[in-house]
């Protein structure tokens, strides 16, 4: 592909991104980075006030749609409405996710299923819905958010780790199915990034916090922008030959001793 300047390859000008759970944390920052790279974004979440507030900060390139990703029967209507209102979705970021920190043997079946429903089942359902359209148009980029919990063993997050490990397999399987239609599927595996989710998991657990930092060669936690810019790259034409990959954005945590 030819670009007038090198920066064009990283531009998201003219593209529309759907970002689940975009009202806060990593999703909000992915939205911000994508907008500053030229994209329009549609963010979703369950709380309208939070979404409204997020859009007021993100500006006129952002729109919100109230949606709970676990309600799988609503996802087709959600995607239809977004495409009717804003145009074709070029980029899907499956960001919405929840965690549960509890000793494995105390996790109930309902709790386990609840995590898997949000972090895995909903991701497949929404990706299938968007990817059918992307395949028809012969272009698209899907980004999943994985985790260090899918890379190595972490105690007290059995449901979360299972769901994120499922994401890693889903990325490879979907990339195998959809590459011939010019639809790319990748994951970002964030290290420990300063958000509410991370603070909840680490706040009252200094041992865990020190352990996470201790095996991070860069010696610090990540910022939401670190994930935002990685998402811009994976969604852009600069990453045009990258599919089926899981990119650690972790300050070296996954390779640290
Ligand atoms: P967060 O808790 O700050 O944000 C999560 C967002 O997802 C919120 O806006 C929330 O409302 C939304 N969400 C949750 N359930 C939803 C549902 N059923 N429907 C629609 N939206 C829903 O968490 P954070 O840290 O920003 O996490 C974002 C993603 O990054 C998650 O998938 C998480 O597993 C992943 N991640 C985060 C890491 C971290 O260190 N913060 C590390 C590795 C992965």
């Amino acid at each position: 592909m030819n670009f007038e300047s090198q920066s064009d390859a990283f531009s998201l000008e003219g593209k529309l991104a759907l970002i689940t759970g975009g009202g806060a944390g990593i999703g909000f920052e992915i939205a911000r980075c994508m907008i500053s790279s030229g994209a329009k974004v549609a963010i979703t979440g369950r709380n309208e006030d939070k979404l409204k507030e997020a859009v007021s900060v993100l500006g006129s390139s952002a729109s919100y749609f109230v949606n709970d990703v676990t309600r799988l029967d609503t996802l087709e209507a959600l995607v239809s409405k977004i495409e009717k209102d804003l145009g074709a979705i070029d980029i899907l970021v499956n960001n919405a996710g929840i965690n549960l920190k509890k000793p494995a043997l105390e996790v109930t079946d309902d709790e386990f299923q609840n995590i898997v429903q949000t972090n895995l089942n909903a991701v497949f359902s929404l990706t299938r819905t968007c990817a059918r359209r992307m395949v028809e148009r012969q272009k698209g980029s899907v980004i999943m958010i994985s985790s260090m919990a899918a890379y190595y063993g972490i105690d007290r997050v059995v449901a979360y780790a299972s769901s994120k490990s499922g994401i890693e397999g889903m990325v490879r399987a979907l990339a195998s199915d959809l590459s011939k239609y010019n639809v790319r599927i990748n994951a970002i595996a964030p290290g420990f990034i300063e958000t509410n989710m991370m603070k909840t998991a680490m706040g009252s657990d200094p041992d865990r916090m020190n352990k996470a930092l201790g095996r991070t060669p860069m010696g610090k936690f990540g910022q939401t922008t670190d994930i935002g810019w990685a998402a811009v790259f994976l969604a852009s034409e600069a990453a045009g030959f990258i599919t089926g990959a899981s990119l650690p954005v972790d300050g070296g945590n996954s390779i640290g001793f």
Side-chain angles (χ1 to χ4, degrees):
M1 208 167 280
N2 288 321
F3 298 96
E4 278 181 26
S5 76
Q6 225 170 348
S7 65
D8 289 350
F10 295 87
S11 166
L12 300 182
E13 204 67 52
K15 293 191 192 288
L16 173 65
L18 165 56
I19 303 165
T20 63
I26 288 173
F28 176 79
E29 207 56 44
I30 291 174
R32 199 142 70 156
C33 290
M34 286 193 168
I35 288 170
S36 77
S37 303
K40 285 194 167 25
V41 306
I43 59 172
T44 70
R46 294 159 297 178
N47 180 328
E48 181 158 20
D49 289 341
K50 205 159 99 179
L51 290 170
K52 245 189 209 158
E53 163 112 37
V55 163
S56 77
V57 177
L58 291 169
S60 59
S61 294
S63 310
Y64 75 81
F65 297 81
V66 178
N67 180 261
D68 178 342
V69 287
T70 63
R71 304 245 344 257
L72 306 187
D73 58 342
T74 67
L75 299 177
E76 178 67 42
L78 170 74
V79 171
S80 293
K81 172 141 184 58
I82 293 172
E83 294 215 334
K84 186 165 155 279
D85 290 2
L86 302 175
I89 296 166
D90 303 288
I91 301 158
L92 167 64
V93 184
N94 286 299
N95 164 77
I98 53 172
N99 196 359
L100 171 72
K101 194 170 146 212
K102 210 174 177 187
L105 304 187
E106 291 172 20
V107 174
T108 67
D109 291 339
D110 279 351
E111 286 171 334
F112 192 93
Q113 277 163 22
N114 186 36
I115 299 290
V116 169
Q117 181 72 2
T118 304
N119 293 3
L120 189 64
N121 297 345
V123 169
F124 173 65
S125 205
L126 182 60
T127 300
R128 185 190 54 206
T129 304
C130 289
R132 281 180 177 150
R133 291 164 165 84
M134 290 173 173
V135 162
E136 238 166 65
R137 298 189 284 260
Q138 300 272 305
K139 65 172 179 152
S141 168
V142 178
I143 297 170
M144 319 287 192
I145 308 294
S146 180
S147 167
M148 290 301 109
Y151 277 36
Y152 55 78
I154 304 181
D155 60 301
R156 287 169 287 156
V157 289
V158 67
Y160 184 77
S162 302
S163 67
K164 294 297 186 180
S165 301
I167 289 292
E168 294 280 333
M170 196 189 295
V171 164
R172 292 189 286 265
L174 285 173
S176 301
D177 270 14
L178 302 183
S179 289
K180 58 180 171 290
Y181 305 110
N182 196 31
V183 175
R184 296 183 299 109
I185 316 280
N186 292 293
I188 293 170
F192 295 86
I193 309 297
E194 285 183 352
T195 65
N196 286 338
M197 181 188 280
M198 197 272 247
K199 283 176 198 149
T200 309
M202 299 284 195
S204 54
D205 196 344
D207 286 350
R208 203 178 187 81
M209 181 121 94
N210 292 334
K211 201 164 179 178
L213 264 187
R215 61 166 293 168
T216 305
M218 283 192 168
K220 59 181 182 179
F221 293 125
Q223 301 303 311
T224 49
T225 44
D226 296 321
I227 308 303
W229 293 122
V232 167
F233 166 63
L234 283 178
S236 74
E237 298 302 332
F241 199 49
I242 300 178
T243 195
S246 176
L247 176 67
V249 180
D250 65 346
N253 179 273
S254 56
I255 51 86
F257 175 60

